[in-house]
């Protein structure tokens, strides 16, 4: 008996230490959804308490502590049973949070868990008198009561039901992590019920929580985590309370600034007094900062009518100007109101809406009365949400649908290069181009991951059909300045190409103009690494945005320059000589010229006469899938 007790305690103590270490790691992690972090932390706390009490209750139940007074033994066993009853609902809810289970099923599981939780607590509290969960053993110690094993089976069944409900969640790392957690605990519970000897249960619990603590992507909104919103946690918890219990709520977004005569005032000088004034003027509402500049969110539970009238009075006062100490605060944009549950039926959508509405400009003149989000604005917002879901699905699958646009020699008309154009093939939205999902990826901080998945998709296609891609010299893929912010990007891309057996000499990288490269110190080194590996470098959209003369001069490794299509068309129609000088300048820098956006034979002839080396555009072909590309290249060779 003593040997069995020792083994029990050893494994339970090992599980306790493991859980404590994982709980500390989880507390130090940042960037996860507030509610999921809370759920995971509570799971750790309940597991730690249950493990510690299990260590104490094991010798007591085996009759190894006869000296312990009866009241103390009963109190310890009641506390142990309550801790186990607390652990199971937290663990089940944590798995559902990780997998982002749909709200109705989550609320249904919460109701079932609350019923079973109350039954377990009542049984534990009444056990000293009725012996429901445990009872004294004739040979000393305590045996399981008649209610203990049925409740354990109920927990097992609910966990199995929760695992089945995980299938309703969207595929992704969170669902896989939750499924592994639930599966390991289910297997250990069956082992414990069948064997009943050495108890590996808490050690298995710590193992099941390992992925979530160390690195599993927790559901949440990366946009707000990066926006340094000081009230983000409070706002998220407030929203979750409404979503959990289906309470209606309304939101108003206020863009406030000091008047012209106080324009030089520092934000800190008027933001805090303005926030205090807002809270005093709206006693039934909650006011949050969404930025350090001039953005407030007013949150209210209740009817739309009452909230709308309150905001109308507030807007009237703000339009007239609020005198504060040192400055006057005015409303620089109409208050934008929306119905929460109607606009965003899920919590994650509501969090994204908060960020999208940061830059949303409502119809109507400034200093107007508050207005609700109209149907057109709501349709735009909901489409953005749908595109983000499609983007996340493509990233989780690890594949984009690729299209190819050939680059042709201006003199011979032979295709010499292919440009990769990523697409997302969504069942509801159809085929989405980069213009739809790249801005969302930049706002969500997904640019680096998206670029890596696109590059991996290209390498897989080139490795699967090397004969097709051997008909051109190189295949180019866009490289965003946001991707170049990663210091190990070149090493990762070169390693990925080698693993797929694709020579870097067959690849080209086009540097887009969306952001300035001067703010990224690692750019020259990364470009040199890619160039040294054999890849070609192209400056994309030359003449527009940040892609100007200095970019050509700062990138000696670039072998070609792509003219921006708008600049090319404007110069062809208005100032052809200016375009000729621009092409000569690029040639003087020792680089080739690629003219993109060619849509007619006249444009092609003009550009060839002006000295363009390569041409690209819909005049030759629309973007092609692999089957269309094979026909296009084969027709060219024939």
């Amino acid at each position: 008996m003593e040997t069995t007790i020792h083994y029990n305690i050893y494994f339970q103590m090992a599980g306790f230490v493991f859980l404590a270490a994982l709980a500390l790691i989880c507390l130090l992690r940042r960037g996860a959804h507030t509610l999921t972090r809370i759920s995971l932390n509570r799971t750790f706390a309940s597991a730690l308490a249950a493990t510690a009490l299990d260590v104490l209750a094991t010798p007591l139940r085996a009759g190894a502590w006869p000296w312990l007074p009866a009241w103390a033994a009963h109190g310890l066993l009641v506390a142990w049973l309550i801790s186990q009853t607390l652990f199971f609902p937290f663990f089940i809810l944590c798995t559902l949070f990780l997998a982002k289970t749909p709200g109705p099923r989550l609320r249904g599981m919460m109701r079932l868990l609350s019923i079973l939780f109350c039954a377990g607590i009542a049984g534990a509290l009444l056990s000293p008198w009725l012996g429901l969960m445990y009872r004294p053993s004739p040979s000393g110690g305590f045996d399981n009561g008649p209610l203990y094993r049925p409740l354990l089976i109920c927990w097992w069944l609910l966990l199995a039901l929760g695992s089945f409900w995980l299938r309703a969640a969207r595929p992704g790392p969170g669902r896989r992590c939750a499924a592994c957690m639930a599966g390991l605990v289910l297997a250990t519970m069956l082992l414990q019920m069948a064997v009943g000897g050495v108890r590996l249960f808490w050690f298995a619990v710590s193992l099941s929580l390992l992925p979530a603590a160390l690195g599993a992507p927790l559901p949440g909104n990366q946009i707000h985590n990066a926006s340094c919103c000081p009230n983000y946690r409070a706002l998220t918890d407030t929203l979750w309370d409404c979503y959990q219990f289906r309470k209606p709520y309304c939101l108003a977004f206020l863009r406030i600034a000091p008047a012209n005569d106080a324009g030089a005032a520092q934000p800190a000088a008027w933001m805090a007094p303005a926030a205090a004034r807002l809270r005093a003027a709206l006693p039934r509402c909650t006011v949050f900062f969404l930025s350090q500049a001039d953005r407030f969110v007013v949150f209210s539970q209740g009817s739309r009518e009452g909230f709308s009238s309150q905001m109308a009075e507030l807007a009237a006062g703000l339009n007239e100007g609020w005198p504060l100490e040192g400055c006057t605060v005015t409303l620089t944009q109409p208050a934008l109101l929306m119905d929460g549950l109607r606009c965003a039926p899920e919590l994650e959508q509501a969090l994204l809406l908060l960020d999208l509405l940061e830059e949303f400009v409502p119809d109507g003149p400034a200093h107007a009365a508050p207005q609700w989000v109209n149907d057109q604005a709501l349709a735009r917002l909901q489409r953005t949400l749908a595109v983000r879901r499609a983007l996340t699905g493509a990233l989780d699958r690890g594949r984009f649908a690729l299209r190819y646009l050939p680059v042709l020699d201006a003199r011979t008309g032979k295709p010499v290069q292919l440009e990769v154009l990523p697409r997302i093939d969504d069942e509801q939205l159809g085929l989405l181009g980069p213009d739809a999902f790249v801005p969302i990826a930049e706002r969500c901080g997904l640019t680096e991951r998206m670029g890596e998945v696109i590059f991996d998709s290209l390498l897989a296609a080139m490795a699967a059909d090397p004969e097709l891609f051997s008909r051109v010299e190189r295949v180019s893929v866009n490289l965003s300045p946001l991707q170049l912010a990663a210091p190990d990007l070149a090493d990762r891309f070169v390693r990925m190409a080698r693993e797929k057996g694709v020579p870097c000499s067959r690849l080209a990288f086009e540097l887009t103009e969306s952001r300035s490269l001067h703010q990224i110190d690692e750019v020259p080194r990364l470009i040199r690494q890619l160039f040294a590996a054999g890849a070609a470098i192209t400056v994309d959209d030359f003449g527009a945005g940040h892609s100007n003369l200095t970019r050509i001069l700062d990138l000696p490794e670039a072998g070609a320059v792509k003219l921006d299509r708008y600049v090319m068309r404007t110069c062809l129609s208005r100032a052809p000589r200016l375009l000729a000088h621009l092409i000569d300048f690029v040639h003087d820098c020792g680089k080739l010229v690629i003219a993109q956006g060619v849509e007619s034979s006249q444009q092609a002839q003009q550009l060839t006469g002006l000295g363009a080396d390569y041409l690209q555009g819909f005049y030759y072909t629309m973007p092609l899938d692999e089957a269309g590309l094979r026909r296009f290249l084969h027709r060219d060779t024939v």
Side-chain angles (χ1 to χ4, degrees), residues 253-277:
F253 298 84
L254 304 176
R255 191 181 295 275
I256 303 174
N260 294 331
D261 56 350
Q266 294 294 324
W270 62 270
M271 283 288 282
R277 183 77 180 266

Side-chain angles (χ1 to χ4, degrees), residues 568-616:
M568 183 270 293
R569 293 172 187 170
T570 304
C571 289
L572 279 181
S573 60
R574 299 180 184 177
R577 294 183 59 186
L578 178 60
L579 183 59
H581 290 316
L582 189 61
I583 293 175
D584 290 339
F585 168 78
V586 176
H587 284 158
D588 292 340
C589 293
K591 306 179 190 306
L592 301 174
V593 174
I594 304 173
Q596 60 178 335
V598 180
E599 295 184 351
S600 67
S601 60
Q602 181 183 1
Q603 289 181 348
Q605 293 172 2
Q606 285 182 285
L607 290 167
T608 302
L610 293 174
D613 301 287
Y614 302 104
L615 303 177
Q616 181 187 35

Side-chain angles (χ1 to χ4, degrees), residues 310-391:
Q310 276 188 300
M311 294 307 302
E313 295 177 5
L314 177 66
L318 285 171
N319 287 331
E320 295 174 359
W322 270 3
L324 295 177
E325 185 176 352
C327 67
T328 301
V329 175
T330 57
L331 182 67
T332 59
Q333 181 177 307
L336 179 66
L337 313 181
M338 76 173 191
D339 291 305
L341 296 180
R342 183 176 71 92
C343 290
E346 296 180 6
L347 176 63
E348 186 179 357
Q349 294 184 6
L351 297 177
L352 182 60
L353 275 174
L354 294 181
D355 192 78
L356 294 175
L357 291 170
E358 283 273 354
E359 299 181 355
F360 183 81
V361 178
D363 301 327
H367 307 289
Q371 58 182 327
W372 292 88
V373 177
N374 56 33
D375 292 337
Q376 293 179 350
L378 180 59
R380 293 198 302 269
L381 293 172
Q382 290 177 336
R383 175 172 173 80
T384 303
L385 294 172
V387 172
R388 184 176 185 268
R389 287 196 298 270
L391 172 62

